[in-house]
Amino acid sequence: MSIIRTPEPAQATGAWAEQYAGDLRALGYVPSHTRVMATSPQAHQAFEDLTGAIAQSIGLRLYELVTLAAAGAIGSQACRLAHGRRSRGVFDDAQLERIALDYHAAGLTELEVAAMELAEKISGDSAAITEQDTLRLRELGLDDRQIVDVVLAAAARNYFSRALHALAVVPDVPPDLPDSLREALLDGLPTAGGR
């Protein structure tokens, strides 16, 4: 599962039990990433608070699109699967498959495509980003806070996904995720190490 030793849900106490309880209620199981991140509960809660504030600013739809783009760009199977599942509350499965395979041809708005392109660029070579990359978001209607929050959404996904990679967290396949959607979310991602 990971290089980190974590208790099973039935044996969890304290911070682990608290972290596990939320996922058991929402998902019916405790994903590997929750088990590992519960090792540092204050840091995990700070991350959840950060992503919650970002999503509130830019909306869940744009937040999930940016997250999927960033996770794909860094090859995070765990985050693509988890946020693919979460995105099912915003998109139907057919559109989500199109987004996963080629978001440029998935019927998204110009703003959504630009935000996903920026997320990929942040995840690949953030030092190469120019003023024009972020100004494009303003031209398409975002205010300064929303621009900051799109960038933060991509950067936060890099933080979390890279931590999962470094800790050898094996990705969970959500049991309610259709096979065709799972395959689309993982299409083109590296398989080395199963992560």
Side-chain angles (χ1 to χ4, degrees):
M1 178 174 107
S2 170
I3 62 170
I4 305 300
R5 292 186 224 72
T6 62
E8 292 299 317
Q11 285 74 45
T13 60
W16 266 292
E18 290 175 29
Q19 295 285 323
Y20 288 10
D23 280 351
L24 284 169
R25 278 191 305 276
L27 304 173
Y29 70 101
V30 181
S32 299
H33 64 267
T34 296
R35 292 175 184 233
V36 170
M37 292 307 175
T39 305
S40 182
Q42 295 87 355
H44 186 58
Q45 187 59 55
F47 176 77
E48 292 295 323
D49 291 343
L50 171 65
T51 58
I54 293 166
Q56 185 177 21
S57 165
I58 61 176
L60 185 58
R61 179 181 168 106
L62 189 56
Y63 172 79
E64 289 298 336
L65 289 170
V66 168
T67 297
L68 287 169
I74 60 174
S76 176
Q77 291 184 11
C79 291
R80 284 283 283 201
L81 290 168
H83 283 274
R85 181 192 184 280
R86 187 172 173 189
S87 294
R88 293 178 78 200
V90 184
F91 302 98
D92 65 43
D93 287 353
Q95 185 176 24
L96 193 49
E97 284 182 35
R98 290 193 312 274
I99 291 166
L101 293 171
D102 181 4
Y103 65 85
H104 293 96
L108 299 176
T109 68
E110 193 175 353
L111 169 61
E112 291 167 340
V113 170
M116 292 182 81
E117 288 172 344
L118 180 61
E120 287 181 336
K121 197 165 187 180
I122 289 167
S123 302
D125 186 4
S126 59
I129 293 174
T130 68
E131 189 175 289
Q132 287 309 115
D133 292 314
T134 48
L135 285 177
R136 180 76 180 125
L137 298 181
R138 180 176 292 130
E139 291 168 4
L140 293 170
L142 294 189
D143 62 29
D144 286 348
R145 168 151 185 204
Q146 292 169 320
I147 293 168
V148 168
D149 285 338
V150 164
V151 170
L152 286 175
R157 186 53 38 202
N158 273 262
Y159 155 78
F160 198 81
S161 294
R162 292 177 193 279
L164 296 183
H165 284 159
L167 296 169
V169 177
V170 176
D172 298 288
V173 177
D176 59 346
L177 203 63
D179 289 343
S180 60
L181 179 53
R182 176 186 50 78
E183 290 169 9
L185 289 164
L186 297 179
D187 184 66
L189 296 187
T191 58
R195 294 173 292 167

